[in-house]
Amino acid sequence: MSSGGPSRRVRADAERSTARILEAAEDVLAEDPNAPLERIADAAGVARATVHRRFSSRTALLDALAAHLNERYLRALAETRVATAPPLVALQRLTETIFDLKLCHRFAIQLDAAITPEVLAGVDLLFERLRDAGVITSADPVWCRRVYLALLHEVNDLSADSPTLTALHAGSEVEARINLLVGTVIGALGGTDTTNGLLVRPSLAGD
Amino acid sequence: MSSGGPSRRVRADAERSTARILEAAEDVLAEDPNAPLERIADAAGVARATVHRRFSSRTALLDALAAHLNERYLRALAETRVATAPPLVALQRLTETIFDLKLCHRFAIQLDAAITPEVLAGVDLLFERLRDAGVITSADPVWCRRVYLALLHEVNDLSADSPTLTALHAGSEVEARINLLVGTVIGALGGTDTTNGLLVRPSLAGD
DNA sequence: CCTACATGAGACATCATAGTCTCATTTAAG
DNA sequence: CTTAAATGAGACTATGATGTCTCATGTAGG
């Protein structure tokens, strides 16, 4: 959408700045949603004025950030093949992707705006398929989604040396988190512990 | 602690104001933790100056609020007889009390300070007993607590006409929420669905 | 090398909120 | 009733954040 016009002068410099500001904003705002723009500027290594040049207002920055996150969510959902892969595998994979991209850490921001109807639909579809497959019993997509997101945050905030995590003695720490989340969600949504036995094996998610 | 000195002049008027301010602060800050003091004053029906008279600073108000909430948590735990009642009954009862006092709605505030070590110990004891009784399998009190609190919020925020709630067709809406929470938490923490069958009967909690 | 764009630094205006103070009025309690 | 405390209303200051502007400097790209 930018390589069209010849008179269009968008210096590579500028694009880099914008990217760094967005990145910094994600980090800073995840810890304090009310952080002043100056702290974001510092974290990005640019002057406060530059932030204002790239984003006309604080709201504009928030909006851009939301759009940016939404884009990554959509990509994560696409990579997961929510609609076609076996639902349990899809759940495992989606969780994996979210942890990899550190997305959970980021949308601690009150960016409900980042969760667009499309993302929502993708997640809802996943849980619908999980239920059809008999993995869970809850039939309410809204409830499933909320439980999933809430537990995602909890698992993410869990300290690395928590007994719950170490007890899983998975290959890596992230793997342990993924397994914990998937198992907990399924249990919360009415899954049987038979499924649980299957879930703790990350090899299931492999291709 | 106030009926001691004779020269101690604490007009009943003043105490009422303080109470109303704290109440208003709970409501207002639950919705917006960064709400200005003026909004709290308005909600309390007093002038902004009065808030400043009773609480030297915003921080002081927050601290008082935390202490107030902590007090009520302790009372709730005591009424629940966490240490002696059958653990499943205690869980049901505790949840009931929390919903009754609308405590869950309130500590949406970032008042981690309101959760003192004493409250923490009470909750931890409850989950320890639940595990000993075989109701749940998770042995990590921290994890249990976090899951419980996270799901508490989700259940509380759930809209009244949510299919998940209505499907429980409990006596009252609050009852449905309690049952949903207890069942979900137990499932999340590794409980079997056999227990679930018992849980949906609120009569269990009756004295 | 040259030109136009991007930036950093900093001054500046504006606005929202916190916190203090005064004074007239209300009200609890002896 | 009388007194002293509590309040409401409002002026006032201080502070921090946002947003705008200018100008000198740096730098990408031709």
Side-chain angles (χ1 to χ4, degrees):
Chain A
M1 69 170 68
S2 58
S3 55
S7 62
R8 249 287 206 186
R9 283 207 179 177
V10 217
R11 253 165 63 168
D13 211 359
E15 281 193 59
R16 244 182 300 143
S17 286
T18 307
R20 289 176 62 185
I21 292 172
L22 279 175
E23 239 180 283
E26 279 182 23
D27 289 337
V28 172
L29 294 180
E31 283 188 1
D32 177 11
N34 296 108
L37 289 187
E38 189 160 24
R39 208 176 319 163
I40 297 176
D42 287 349
V46 300
R48 190 173 64 93
T50 302
V51 177
H52 283 290
R53 278 192 199 98
R54 289 359 230 36
F55 303 98
S56 60
S57 70
R58 175 178 245 272
T59 307
L61 173 58
L62 266 332
D63 289 347
L65 194 51
H68 189 235
L69 282 183
N70 178 53
E71 199 178 310
R72 292 163 69 181
Y73 278 122
L74 283 181
R75 195 154 46 86
L77 279 169
E79 286 176 1
T80 308
R81 292 196 292 275
V82 163
T84 61
L88 237 173
V89 175
L91 178 61
Q92 185 104 12
R93 246 201 229 125
L94 177 63
T95 307
E96 211 175 322
T97 310
I98 291 181
F99 274 114
D100 272 2
L101 299 182
K102 291 182 188 163
L103 284 177
C104 51
H105 168 246
R106 314 244 152 134
F107 80 83
I109 318 170
Q110 83 283 33
L111 283 186
D112 294 333
I115 304 186
T116 59
E118 287 137 316
V119 175
L120 241 149
V123 178
D124 285 357
L125 175 60
L126 173 57
F127 282 107
E128 191 184 320
R129 296 188 61 222
L130 279 169
R131 178 174 156 273
D132 289 345
V135 178
I136 62 175
T137 62
S138 176
D140 180 1
V142 179
W143 174 241
C144 293
R145 200 191 328 129
R146 296 180 66 137
V147 168
Y148 180 69
L149 292 182
L151 292 177
L152 180 63
H153 278 129
E154 294 307 319
V155 169
N156 184 243
D157 288 350
L158 209 56
S159 98
D161 58 343
S162 155
T164 299
L165 278 183
T166 57
L168 292 178
H169 52 271
S172 68
E173 182 202 310
V174 185
E175 222 169 83
R177 290 187 197 274
I178 296 172
N179 290 337
L180 175 60
L181 177 54
V182 172
T184 304
V185 166
I186 291 185
L189 296 179
T192 62
D193 48 5
T194 336
T195 15
N196 214 339
L198 291 175
L199 283 170
V200 283
R201 355 187 67 191
S203 51
L204 242 183
D207 203 12
Chain B
M1 65 168 69
S2 60
S3 55
S7 61
R8 248 288 207 187
R9 284 209 176 176
V10 219
R11 254 166 64 167
D13 211 357
E15 282 192 60
R16 244 182 300 143
S17 284
T18 306
R20 289 178 62 186
I21 291 173
L22 280 175
E23 238 180 284
E26 281 182 19
D27 289 337
V28 173
L29 294 180
E31 284 189 358
D32 177 12
N34 296 108
L37 290 187
E38 188 160 24
R39 209 178 319 163
I40 297 176
D42 288 348
V46 301
R48 190 172 64 95
T50 302
V51 177
H52 282 292
R53 279 190 198 100
R54 285 14 238 6
F55 304 97
S56 58
S57 70
R58 178 179 243 270
T59 307
L61 173 59
L62 265 334
D63 289 347
L65 193 53
H68 188 235
L69 282 183
N70 179 53
E71 200 178 310
R72 291 163 70 181
Y73 278 122
L74 283 181
R75 195 153 48 84
L77 279 170
E79 285 175 2
T80 307
R81 292 195 291 277
V82 163
T84 60
L88 237 174
V89 176
L91 178 61
Q92 183 104 14
R93 246 200 230 128
L94 178 63
T95 307
E96 212 175 322
T97 310
I98 290 181
F99 273 114
D100 273 1
L101 299 183
K102 291 181 188 165
L103 283 177
C104 51
H105 168 246
R106 314 241 152 137
F107 80 84
I109 318 171
Q110 85 282 33
L111 282 187
D112 294 332
I115 303 187
T116 59
E118 289 137 313
V119 175
L120 241 150
V123 178
D124 285 357
L125 175 61
L126 173 57
F127 282 107
E128 191 185 318
R129 295 188 62 222
L130 279 170
R131 179 174 155 273
D132 289 344
V135 178
I136 63 176
T137 63
S138 176
D140 180 1
V142 178
W143 173 242
C144 293
R145 201 193 325 132
R146 294 180 67 135
V147 168
Y148 180 70
L149 292 184
L151 292 176
L152 181 61
H153 278 128
E154 292 309 318
V155 169
N156 183 245
D157 288 349
L158 209 55
S159 100
D161 58 343
S162 156
T164 299
L165 277 182
T166 55
L168 292 178
H169 52 271
S172 69
E173 182 202 311
V174 185
E175 221 168 83
R177 290 187 197 271
I178 296 172
N179 290 338
L180 175 61
L181 177 54
V182 173
T184 305
V185 166
I186 291 184
L189 297 179
T192 63
D193 50 5
T194 336
T195 16
N196 214 340
L198 293 174
L199 283 169
V200 284
R201 356 186 66 189
S203 52
L204 240 185
D207 203 9

